[in-house]
Amino acid sequence: EFPLALQHMDDQVRKLTKKDHQEFIYQTSLLKRASAVRDNESYSFKAGFSPFFPDYNFHVKLKNENTVSDYVFKRSLITMIGLALLLAAMIIGFVMLVRDVRRKRDIQKLRSDFIANVTHELKTPLTSITMFADSILMDRYKSEEGLKKYTRIILKESEKLKRMVNNILEFSRQENNRLAYTLKEENLSEIIQEIMKEMDYWLMINKFEVSLELEDPLYALTNAEGLKQVLSNLITNAIKYSPEDKRIIIRSFASGEHACIEVEDHGIGIPENQLESIFRKFYRVEDNKQSQAGGTGLGLTVSKDIVEAMKGVLTVKSRVNQGSIFRIELNKVNNS
């Protein structure tokens, strides 16, 4: 046996064909036909070398027979990883599809509930207005005081209807990115007192005790009508969700660069795990007591949008069965 170095020739062939499989390194040699070569030797090749050298065979074999198995293992591993990634992508896509379908289904249910709630909420004041207006036309009142009472009820039901319609309109404006307010210096205590006069009827018929703790004067950059809408929503919620302890405290005070308003009730409160969700549109707190209360599910959503449109912040602190505190923070104006 004498070796024949053909590796250089092989390297040149590889360069010319632009193929590089350096993991396959083999040895070449010329063997006498009488030389012992295992017939079952793996990854080897024997052939006659030349008619001029009939006693020799050209023998090519891998230097390391494990190279092929390693190569197959690497390729198999790459294929398995690729399949695993493909499977993971399919699973993620399926999960996202399910979540999207579920989200659309939930939104559709919320919209259906919203339409039903709005219909019910609008029907209540309209029924009262129709009934008492009809009583006036039919002269069913017994005295001038009775006439004034019926008229006041019609007026207050109209104000309730106005607040509900305003909530829907403000929500629609926000959905269409058209919610904007002209801000100017306003005395918050005056705005609070005005909204309390408007809410006086509802507080009276529901037998609520209201405490005002107002810093006067306290000026802030705000929009009076927008702020009244927010306070109306917060006070309405306080009335709605305080079936037993009928106390409401309204405060205004300065805190650093902010002018703050707090509406505190002693009602049934909000579970901690739902505090971040109550400002979502159409959201209703998952509680049997609260589910019995009416509403469109837009009051807090609209309130938050209005406050943010006035460059402010609306936050809440609440404990179940102890009550809630909603805080409005606006930019304070130093007016000396």
Side-chain angles (χ1 to χ4, degrees):
E1 175 182 350
F2 58 95
L4 179 64
L6 299 178
Q7 190 67 45
H8 178 71
M9 182 188 298
D10 179 72
D11 292 340
Q12 294 301 318
V13 171
R14 292 180 188 277
K15 289 179 181 180
L16 290 174
T17 57
K18 297 183 180 180
K19 294 182 179 180
D20 188 13
H21 295 289
Q22 294 299 327
E23 61 267 33
F24 295 108
I25 300 175
Y26 56 86
Q27 64 182 11
T28 59
S29 59
L30 285 176
L31 300 177
K32 288 185 178 181
R33 292 185 184 276
S35 299
V37 177
R38 298 193 307 271
D39 291 334
N40 61 346
E41 188 173 8
S42 302
Y43 314 119
S44 66
F45 170 76
K46 293 184 296 181
F49 176 63
S50 170
F52 299 102
F53 298 92
D55 294 333
Y56 291 91
N57 280 337
F58 185 63
H59 183 218
V60 180
K61 70 173 183 178
L62 288 172
K63 288 185 177 180
N64 183 3
E65 295 184 0
N66 293 327
T67 301
V68 174
S69 58
D70 292 343
Y71 179 80
V72 172
F73 174 76
K74 290 178 183 179
R75 291 294 179 181
S76 300
L77 183 61
I78 292 173
T79 302
M80 292 175 63
I81 292 175
L83 290 174
L85 291 176
L86 178 61
L87 181 60
M90 292 176 63
I91 293 174
I92 293 172
F94 178 75
V95 171
M96 293 180 65
L97 178 62
V98 171
R99 289 180 61 184
D100 185 60
V101 171
R102 184 177 298 172
R103 182 178 63 85
K104 289 182 179 180
R105 183 189 62 189
D106 292 342
I107 290 176
Q108 185 63 36
K109 183 178 182 300
L110 288 173
R111 290 185 183 276
S112 299
D113 292 343
F114 167 70
I115 293 172
N117 289 333
V118 167
T119 303
H120 174 74
E121 292 295 311
L122 292 177
K123 185 177 179 181
T124 302
L126 284 173
T127 301
S128 297
I129 291 170
T130 303
M131 181 180 66
F132 286 104
D134 184 63
S135 297
I136 293 174
L137 289 175
M138 300 296 293
D139 295 328
R140 292 176 182 170
Y141 55 91
K142 297 180 180 180
S143 64
E144 287 297 320
E145 184 60 32
L147 176 60
K148 290 182 180 179
K149 178 181 178 182
Y150 287 0
T151 305
R152 283 196 298 269
I153 291 174
I154 291 174
L155 179 61
K156 298 303 180 182
E157 291 291 339
S158 299
E159 291 175 354
K160 179 181 178 182
L161 190 60
K162 176 184 174 182
R163 288 195 298 271
M164 293 172 58
V165 171
N166 283 342
N167 274 340
I168 296 172
L169 291 176
E170 296 296 335
F171 175 72
S172 177
R173 289 171 60 190
Q174 173 64 20
E175 288 288 283
N176 292 288
N177 298 316
R178 292 188 288 114
L179 184 61
Y181 290 95
T182 300
L183 306 182
K184 63 178 183 178
E185 296 180 15
E186 298 281 0
N187 187 353
L188 297 186
S189 62
E190 293 179 358
I191 296 175
I192 293 171
Q193 289 169 357
E194 289 176 11
I195 194 63
M196 293 311 298
K197 290 179 182 178
E198 296 180 13
M199 300 293 296
D200 180 66
Y201 171 75
W202 299 106
L203 293 165
M204 180 184 67
I205 64 173
N206 287 283
K207 300 179 181 179
F208 268 81
E209 175 188 338
V210 180
S211 299
L212 297 180
E213 301 174 2
L214 307 181
E215 180 178 329
D216 190 14
L218 178 60
Y219 290 89
L221 281 176
T222 187
N223 179 278
E225 291 304 314
L227 185 57
K228 285 181 184 179
Q229 181 74 17
V230 174
L231 290 172
S232 172
N233 289 337
L234 297 181
I235 294 171
T236 300
N237 279 354
I239 294 172
K240 190 184 302 181
Y241 298 121
S242 301
E244 298 178 1
D245 193 343
K246 299 178 179 292
R247 291 181 295 148
I248 297 176
I249 303 172
I250 300 178
R251 307 181 185 90
S252 66
F253 56 92
S255 177
E257 297 298 318
H258 297 103
C260 303
I261 301 174
E262 287 186 348
V263 178
E264 178 180 355
D265 65 61
H266 295 79
I268 59 180
I270 304 166
E272 185 176 357
N273 63 346
Q274 299 185 53
L275 284 176
E276 295 183 1
S277 302
I278 60 173
F279 296 106
R280 286 179 9 214
K281 58 185 178 182
F282 311 128
Y283 186 82
R284 305 294 299 277
V285 174
E286 298 175 0
D287 185 280
N288 291 332
K289 295 180 181 179
Q290 298 204 30
S291 62
Q292 296 173 359
T296 61
L298 289 180
L300 290 177
T301 303
V302 169
S303 297
K304 185 177 179 65
D305 291 339
I306 292 175
V307 172
E308 290 179 350
M310 297 189 297
K311 313 301 181 184
V313 178
L314 176 61
T315 57
V316 59
K317 294 181 180 178
S318 185
R319 299 184 67 180
V320 176
N321 298 324
Q322 295 189 28
S324 305
I325 302 176
F326 286 86
R327 173 183 284 197
I328 303 168
E329 295 183 1
L330 301 170
N331 292 320
K332 186 180 69 173
V333 175
N334 294 320
N335 200 328
S336 54

